[in-house]
Amino acid sequence: MDGERPNNQLRLAFAQGGEGEARPPWVREAETDTAANGTEGPVEADRGEMEAICNSENMKQAYRQVVGNRGSAGVDGMTVDQLRGHLKAHWPEIREQLLSGTYRPKPVRRVEIPKADGGKRKLGIPTVMDRLIQQAILQVLTPEWEETFSAHSYGFRPGRSAHQAIREAQAHIAEGRTWVVDLDLEKFLDPASYCPPIHDLCSKSVG
């Protein structure tokens, strides 16, 4: 990489500096806004997107969504009922970490749930705080990226469902299409499915 970071990492490398206009929803309005001096560079411009994520109304909406979803605690043991108190005590420092790019999510809690076929499905449960931040990011990035996705994808997208996918499949059948391609990615990223090292491939090809 020659010292360069991918764009998705660069977007999180927000500059250190004063806070912007967005106010934390769980603390009293005690900030003094300061105007930035000089020409805004690319890192400062990216910081603006994180300020939109940390915006009071966006965070309130994310908070309602996470609390409404309930869900289990993560590795830190914090429940959704404890989230408000945690934010009242720590939101200013969490917000500054997000704006400066120094926030680090905690590890996920690994759990296994039984499947109908007798196997087990592995799940990772983030902490409640990390779920809040993920939801806040989702709310800002979805309008920006949603329109770039395929019109034929229906999984985990707002306003789309499996029932719509079934109706599209039925329409294809009615049009006379007879081929179905079924792809299962369950084991796609398992270590056992990784390609062998390149030197192994080369030795086989020349030996």
Side-chain angles (χ1 to χ4, degrees):
M1 295 295 291
D2 296 327
E4 297 183 0
R5 288 175 296 176
N7 289 337
N8 63 334
Q9 293 185 20
L10 179 60
R11 293 174 70 84
L12 294 178
F14 302 104
Q16 299 277 357
E19 295 183 2
E21 296 270 332
R23 308 275 185 157
W26 296 279
V27 297
R28 293 183 179 276
E29 304 293 327
E31 298 175 356
T32 300
D33 294 328
T34 57
N37 295 319
T39 303
E40 185 179 56
V43 175
E44 286 78 9
D46 284 337
R47 177 185 171 109
E49 191 165 62
M50 184 56 80
E51 287 179 336
I53 291 168
C54 295
N55 176 270
S56 175
E57 290 305 315
N58 187 57
M59 293 303 300
K60 286 179 181 178
Q61 181 182 344
Y63 175 83
R64 289 192 293 266
Q65 184 68 39
V66 170
V67 172
N69 288 343
R70 305 302 296 178
S72 301
V75 294
D76 60 357
M78 184 191 304
T79 67
V80 292
D81 296 326
Q82 297 170 318
L83 179 58
R84 179 177 291 274
H86 180 77
L87 290 168
K88 286 182 178 179
H90 301 288
W91 173 247
E93 60 189 88
I94 294 172
R95 180 177 183 272
E96 182 54 35
Q97 288 173 7
L98 290 169
L99 292 175
S100 65
T102 60
Y103 180 86
R104 293 294 180 266
K106 290 183 171 59
V108 297
R109 181 166 68 90
R110 293 294 183 184
V111 297
E112 293 183 345
I113 59 175
K115 298 171 63 175
D117 61 3
K120 292 184 177 180
R121 185 182 306 278
K122 297 180 180 180
L123 296 179
I125 301 178
T127 64
V128 175
M129 187 68 235
D130 288 340
R131 297 207 297 267
L132 174 71
I133 294 172
Q134 290 171 8
Q135 180 64 32
I137 294 173
L138 177 71
Q139 292 167 181
V140 171
L141 295 188
T142 294
E144 179 179 344
W145 288 96
E146 175 66 20
E147 63 182 15
T148 69
F149 296 152
S150 170
H152 305 289
S153 69
Y154 294 91
F156 305 101
R157 294 179 62 186
R160 290 173 172 257
S161 67
H163 293 90
Q164 292 173 321
I166 292 173
R167 284 196 292 270
E168 181 169 343
Q170 291 173 333
H172 291 326
I173 294 172
E175 293 170 358
R177 302 183 184 184
T178 57
W179 284 86
V180 174
V181 178
D182 183 13
L183 300 178
D184 188 350
L185 301 182
E186 179 183 2
K187 303 295 184 182
F188 185 73
L189 296 178
D190 282 3
S193 68
Y194 289 169
C195 293
I198 187 65
H199 57 78
D200 288 352
L201 294 176
C202 293
S203 62
K204 291 179 181 178
S205 63
V206 299

